[in-house]
Amino acid sequence: MLLLLGLCLGLSLCVGSQEEAQSWGHSSEQDGLRVPRQVRLLQRLKTKPLMTEFSVKSTIISRYAFTTVSCRMLNRASEDQDIEFQMQIPAAAFITNFTMLIGDKVYQGEITEREKKSGDRVKEKRNKTTEENGEKGTEIFRASAVIPSKDKAAFFLSYEELLQRRLGKYEHSISVRPQQLSGRLSVDVNILESAGIASLEVLPLHNSRQRGSGRGEDDSGPPPSTVINQNETFANIIFKPTVVQQARIAQNGILGDFIIRYDVNREQSIGDIQVLNGYFVHYFAPKDLPPLPKNVVFVLDSSASMVGTKLRQTKDALFTILHDLRPQDRFSIIGFSNRIKVWKDHLISVTPDSIRDGKVYIHHMSPTGGTDINGALQRAIRLLNKYVAHSGIGDRSVSLIVFLTDGKPTVGETHTLKILNNTREAARGQVCIFTIGIGNDVDFRLLEKLSLENCGLTRRVHEEEDAGSQLIGFYDEIRTPLLSDIRIDYPPSSVVQATKTLFPNYFNGSEIIIAGKLVDRKLDHLHVEVTASNSKKFIILKTDVPVRPQKAGKDVTGSPRPGGDGEGDTNHIERLWSYLTTKELLSSWLQSDDEPEKERLRQRAQALAVSYRFLTPFTSMKLRGPVPRMDGLEEAHGMSAAMGPEPVVQSVRGAGTQPGPLLKKPYQPRIKISKTSVDGDPHFVVDFPLSRLTVCFNIDGQPGDILRLVSDHRDSGQFLNQDARLTEDPAGPSQNLTHPLLLQVGEGPEAVLTVKGHQVPVVWKQRKIYNGEEQIDCWFARNNAAKLIDGEYKDYLASHPFDTGMTLGRGMSREL
């Protein structure tokens, strides 16, 4: 989505997936002149803008996530440089703020109304680009600017999203793809859940095949350097890899998605209601109910375009799904191309024989012909309606269509509006359609509207992804319906402007969320009525729920407080309400075919989005400025999202027990090298994990020298897999040099370190590393690290701080 054009100083800003980012370095090679490869490499390294910091700070309060991304760049070249900041964000998130600092100038983003005509055009462009190149379920935000020579730039991006519960877990995914190794890289996530955190896990870094080479040292657990601290209601997760650890994962800086999954405690009742300054949110997720019978028709595209891997993977997935059906379920199978091929003309009971026969039918499907989407849907709906009408099971079952295609309608009815109208009229709200689109040629907008208008969900599978595993994962979300026809009511005298309260189905592992405004802010009980159907009876739950007012904290969004009730600081429940309301208005606008109604919905969504600073298809972002930078501005933008509401954090941590480390596993690389600089002298720290020793040393170099010690000039990978051991000082008494009581603060005993056949005098010291904030105990090697490192000082000079690509690739690849 193009947000800004024609800014002075060459500034530009856009949202939406675009083509892969071009290299920031520019070669000076001219046509007809051959420049040696090494020279071209040095030219690129010298001119490439340097990323000095990439940090993401996120605070999740009652499933609502505030995230701020900070990126700092340095132009070390002697001329002005174009730079680009890009960040993948979840497709469900709303961008709320963007700020650029170029030198001493500040450019502040402002959310404004978008003209109707322009909005429609830009929305289509945004969807198109996102579908072409985005990671699954993400969009790409890009901003570019020109940095003057020897100057700095900083980018701050904030976005918000409501986490959805799927398969019993909430998932918070953060893209860690700075596009180059970063001197300081960190992800800091705070989770605050008043109901209590029931489970929490950090997954290995995830990268799709099209996006890079991200890989962890241990794919069975969290990424290296991940630390979790947690108590009953609060968790803090920090991912802070060193440059060496980053390079081991991906030397191009595309590490992948940092994913946190968790769930909360919940009572077997009418749900959890939270209140803050006149706004409420109701979380309803019952469990331990008997599942509803499913009436399901699997509709599979068998046109010619499905030939090969796609059809084979889909068949294998359906074999697995058929075995998962329950005895009380009913099912049938339809394959479609230019002809509609129905396995049985009625729904079949689940038996071993019927499952076997269904698998045989799927196995013999062959790809041929065109794509009759309308005809296939009409036939599937007729099968379901016929069964429900004659079985009498009605409200005690759920009718579903699982529809999979990789193309556009090419046979029969091909007009999108006609297909949508025909489907809506035939389904009559009694059949829910769940659609899966495969590849780049699918009409995903049609599938999206089919699901939206018929109480379903939609998923997209990219061309290079495994269609079978995606289909199984999608089916798992809907495999266990527990309730149907759910209605949640509150007294009109107590609640106004509530979000959607009618839901066709509730599936096990999901969650129903309703938010609204309270008429009386001093209300201490809220009457709630829930009506629904399950497999055996009609359920009515009535109760008066005590409401527990919460305290608002400091602004977690990183920018001035939006319009609201004017009391206190940011109200996360108010923002959750505005988020849900905006999403529902956008969904209603997408479904509506009535032009006056669409215009009313557009105006309401636009007004709400502007009020709460949400970047939507009906709003745009413009950069205002430049204005002089104020002291502390960088710190304010960088820290606000991570801090969260201060009173809540204090009360959680002060509840009697300090949050202890849930995970402090030694996910250490084989060699960890850290460095800082004091008075121009580089200070290095080397871990020898085989011996459990930490050694540090100085090198008296010249100011500005850049050293490369990860791999030496003879390609021996000098510190890798080396065993180092301590021996007592020849002139000193015999003693245990590693005894904890001996390792005191300050300078301790002297010893001799034996490594690679050399004997190096060392002394026990405390040293500060990185930016002076972290202190470690180590054995300090004096005399400019003589005998500890091979070669001479000049052998390790590099032209770029991250000039480790060649040496890391050769010298370390065998050990990583």
Side-chain angles (χ1 to χ4, degrees):
M1 180 187 295
L2 191 62
L3 303 180
L4 188 63
L5 291 174
L7 278 179
C8 59
L9 296 181
L11 300 175
S12 64
L13 180 64
C14 62
V15 171
S17 302
Q18 300 178 2
E19 296 181 0
E20 283 293 321
Q22 300 296 319
S23 171
W24 284 325
H26 299 282
S27 173
S28 61
E29 182 177 7
Q30 299 178 359
D31 293 339
L33 295 177
R34 288 184 57 84
V35 179
R37 180 181 176 184
Q38 294 84 351
V39 175
R40 295 201 305 271
L41 175 62
L42 289 175
Q43 289 171 339
R44 289 196 299 270
L45 291 175
K46 288 178 180 178
T47 59
K48 183 177 182 179
L50 181 67
M51 182 175 295
T52 59
E53 179 179 353
F54 179 88
S55 65
V56 183
K57 298 183 180 182
S58 187
T59 296
I60 304 170
I61 315 175
S62 298
R63 293 77 144 174
Y64 194 72
F66 301 86
T67 302
T68 293
V69 184
S70 304
C71 176
R72 290 179 169 84
M73 307 286 292
L74 172 65
N75 176 16
R76 302 186 304 140
S78 57
E79 66 275 350
D80 296 353
Q81 290 283 309
D82 292 319
I83 62 166
E84 182 181 65
F85 163 73
Q86 69 175 22
M87 180 68 185
Q88 286 190 15
I89 65 171
F94 285 141
I95 291 172
T96 56
N97 187 35
F98 178 67
T99 301
M100 287 198 306
L101 279 62
I102 308 296
D104 60 352
K105 300 294 191 301
V106 179
Y107 300 84
Q108 178 70 50
E110 179 184 354
I111 303 292
T112 61
E113 294 183 358
R114 184 187 301 278
E115 295 181 4
K116 178 184 175 183
K117 187 174 182 180
S118 174
D120 290 343
R121 183 175 65 252
V122 171
K123 178 175 64 62
E124 292 171 1
K125 179 178 180 181
R126 172 180 181 173
N127 285 328
K128 179 174 184 293
T129 54
T130 299
E131 289 169 9
E132 286 178 352
N133 288 315
E135 292 272 354
K136 184 183 69 174
T138 67
E139 293 176 349
I140 297 181
F141 175 94
R142 299 179 192 269
S144 61
V146 175
I147 306 183
S149 171
K150 309 297 183 181
D151 215 335
K152 301 177 181 179
F155 303 89
F156 303 96
L157 175 70
S158 298
Y159 60 88
E160 300 174 14
E161 65 172 323
L162 177 61
L163 304 184
Q164 299 297 312
R165 188 169 184 253
R166 295 191 175 100
L167 301 176
K169 303 284 185 181
Y170 304 100
E171 182 173 292
H172 186 50
S173 179
I174 295 173
S175 176
V176 186
R177 295 174 172 84
Q179 309 296 315
Q180 60 172 288
L181 301 180
S182 175
R184 294 195 302 272
L185 187 149
S186 64
V187 176
D188 189 342
V189 180
N190 288 328
I191 301 176
L192 299 128
E193 292 288 351
S194 60
I197 300 173
S199 63
L200 187 147
E201 62 177 332
V202 178
L203 277 61
L205 290 169
H206 175 267
N207 231 326
S208 74
R209 282 172 285 180
Q210 91 224 44
R211 279 282 174 196
S213 57
R215 54 185 171 85
E217 272 192 19
D218 183 355
D219 287 339
S220 64
S225 81
T226 300
V227 176
I228 301 175
N229 288 282
Q230 178 183 356
N231 65 17
E232 183 179 349
T233 59
F234 170 80
N236 173 248
I237 302 97
I238 295 178
F239 172 55
K240 194 174 182 181
T242 64
V243 173
V244 174
Q245 290 171 324
Q246 295 171 48
R248 288 180 171 176
I249 299 170
Q251 295 186 34
N252 59 4
I254 303 178
L255 276 65
D257 295 316
F258 185 80
I259 300 173
I260 299 169
R261 286 181 184 160
Y262 75 96
D263 199 17
V264 301
N265 298 319
R266 46 180 51 86
E267 300 176 359
Q268 295 294 323
S269 66
I270 208 162
D272 178 29
I273 296 180
Q274 300 178 18
V275 173
L276 180 60
N277 289 344
Y279 289 84
F280 79 93
V281 59
H282 183 186
Y283 300 103
F284 181 62
K287 58 181 181 178
D288 298 331
L289 295 172
L292 284 164
K294 294 192 299 291
N295 316 313
V296 57
V297 178
F298 300 99
V299 184
L300 173 62
D301 186 346
S302 60
S303 62
S305 59
M306 287 287 290
V307 67
T309 303
K310 285 186 287 188
L311 187 58
R312 187 188 71 252
Q313 290 175 346
T314 302
K315 287 181 177 181
D316 291 341
L318 284 176
F319 294 161
T320 302
I321 289 172
L322 289 182
H323 281 291
D324 188 66
L325 293 173
R326 298 183 176 89
Q328 67 265 36
D329 295 337
R330 299 292 185 273
F331 77 105
S332 189
I333 303 163
I334 293 177
F336 73 96
S337 53
N338 55 324
R339 295 173 51 220
I340 310 301
K341 294 156 281 189
V342 182
W343 172 47
K344 303 288 185 182
D345 60 358
H346 58 282
L347 296 189
I348 304 297
S349 300
V350 175
T351 65
D353 289 343
S354 65
I355 296 298
R356 182 197 61 216
D357 294 345
K359 291 174 65 176
V360 170
Y361 179 78
I362 293 171
H363 175 74
H364 286 102
M365 282 185 179
S366 58
T368 182
T371 309
D372 187 357
I373 290 177
N374 183 74
L377 286 170
Q378 292 298 308
R379 193 65 180 272
I381 294 171
R382 284 200 298 270
L383 280 176
L384 290 166
N385 287 340
K386 178 181 176 182
Y387 172 75
V388 172
H390 290 86
S391 67
I393 195 170
D395 292 337
R396 299 192 308 278
S397 68
V398 173
S399 295
L400 311 173
I401 293 175
V402 178
F403 183 89
L404 185 146
T405 183
D406 73 335
K408 303 176 176 67
T410 60
V411 176
E413 181 58 67
T414 59
H415 194 267
T416 297
L417 288 180
K418 273 285 196 178
I419 295 173
L420 292 169
N421 290 334
N422 292 344
T423 304
R424 186 169 54 245
E425 291 173 3
R428 302 191 308 275
Q430 304 302 308
V431 177
C432 295
I433 302 175
F434 296 85
T435 60
I436 301 174
I438 302 177
N440 299 325
D441 298 324
V442 68
D443 188 346
F444 191 70
R445 176 58 59 82
L446 171 60
L447 300 185
E448 186 179 41
K449 293 197 71 173
L450 281 169
S451 294
L452 279 174
E453 294 181 359
N454 297 281
C455 60
L457 300 170
T458 187
R459 292 287 186 274
R460 178 157 199 174
V461 181
H462 287 284
E463 197 75 49
E464 75 286 347
E465 293 179 319
D466 184 341
S469 62
Q470 296 294 322
L471 174 57
I472 292 174
F474 187 39
Y475 174 78
D476 284 343
E477 294 184 35
I478 61 175
R479 65 186 293 265
T480 310
L482 298 182
L483 296 173
S484 64
D485 301 320
I486 305 108
R487 180 187 180 110
I488 303 180
D489 290 312
Y490 313 93
S493 59
S494 301
V495 171
V496 294
Q497 297 186 36
T499 56
K500 184 173 67 172
T501 58
L502 298 175
F503 304 88
N505 300 301
Y506 166 73
F507 296 97
N508 188 40
S510 64
E511 185 172 58
I512 290 173
I513 303 178
I514 301 170
K517 295 182 179 181
L518 295 177
V519 175
D520 182 6
R521 295 191 176 196
K522 298 180 180 179
L523 191 71
D524 55 2
H525 284 79
L526 179 62
H527 184 73
V528 182
E529 293 186 9
V530 177
T531 59
S533 296
N534 75 352
S535 61
K536 297 182 178 179
K537 59 185 177 181
F538 190 69
I539 299 175
I540 300 179
L541 301 174
K542 297 182 180 181
T543 187
D544 289 331
V545 180
V547 294
R548 304 187 304 271
Q550 300 183 7
K551 293 182 179 180
K554 60 187 290 188
D555 187 356
V556 296
T557 62
S559 49
R561 189 177 186 276
D565 52 28
E567 292 188 6
D569 295 309
T570 293
N571 182 339
H572 67 275
I573 297 181
E574 178 184 356
R575 294 198 67 79
L576 186 155
W577 166 82
S578 62
Y579 173 97
L580 267 184
T581 304
T582 303
K583 286 287 185 182
E584 290 179 3
L585 289 170
L586 292 173
S587 177
S588 298
W589 178 87
L590 187 63
Q591 296 178 53
S592 177
D593 293 324
D594 180 75
E595 287 304 321
E597 176 66 14
K598 285 180 75 74
E599 178 59 20
R600 286 192 295 272
L601 291 167
R602 186 193 70 83
Q603 291 179 4
R604 289 181 58 195
Q606 184 181 69
L608 194 63
V610 170
S611 176
Y612 286 90
R613 301 188 327 274
F614 292 148
L615 184 59
T616 71
F618 305 135
T619 53
S620 62
M621 178 179 284
K622 297 181 179 179
L623 290 180
R624 303 298 185 187
V627 296
R629 184 170 68 184
M630 297 179 294
D631 291 339
L633 181 61
E634 292 191 33
E635 288 74 12
H637 280 278
M639 291 299 295
S640 57
M643 293 302 293
E646 197 167 79
V648 178
V649 174
Q650 290 178 347
S651 64
V652 167
R653 291 182 172 173
T657 59
Q658 292 294 327
L662 174 70
L663 171 71
K664 225 168 186 179
K665 297 179 67 176
Y667 287 103
Q668 296 295 338
R670 289 185 172 86
I671 291 294
K672 180 178 73 174
I673 296 182
S674 310
K675 69 174 182 177
T676 183
S677 179
V678 180
D679 298 328
D681 299 334
H683 294 196
F684 293 89
V685 180
V686 180
D687 285 338
F688 291 88
L690 294 179
S691 311
R692 298 186 178 179
L693 292 174
T694 300
V695 178
C696 51
F697 58 92
N698 294 350
I699 293 181
D700 298 324
Q702 298 298 319
D705 281 351
I706 300 169
L707 301 181
R708 166 168 49 83
L709 293 181
V710 175
S711 178
D712 71 359
H713 61 293
R714 285 179 294 274
D715 196 25
S716 64
Q718 60 174 311
F719 293 128
L720 288 176
N721 218 21
Q722 294 288 343
D723 185 16
R725 56 190 176 87
L726 286 175
T727 59
E728 63 188 20
D729 183 58
S734 176
Q735 54 188 346
N736 181 2
L737 294 174
T738 59
H739 193 281
L741 297 178
L742 188 62
L743 308 182
Q744 302 294 328
V745 175
E747 186 164 322
E750 295 185 355
V752 175
L753 178 74
T754 301
V755 58
K756 298 183 296 181
H758 301 301
Q759 288 191 327
V760 183
V762 292
V763 62
W764 186 255
K765 279 191 174 185
Q766 281 194 339
R767 307 294 290 175
K768 288 188 177 181
I769 62 173
Y770 304 112
N771 56 356
E773 297 176 356
E774 185 173 344
Q775 187 166 272
I776 58 106
D777 296 326
C778 63
W779 289 100
F780 179 71
R782 294 170 170 165
N783 301 327
N784 216 30
K787 298 184 180 181
L788 181 63
I789 63 173
D790 296 333
E792 300 177 1
Y793 173 83
K794 64 181 181 179
D795 296 326
Y796 298 95
L797 291 177
S799 60
H800 185 272
F802 304 144
D803 184 12
T804 59
M806 295 178 292
T807 57
L808 281 172
R810 296 197 315 267
M812 298 185 68
S813 61
R814 297 186 297 274
E815 303 291 339
L816 296 182

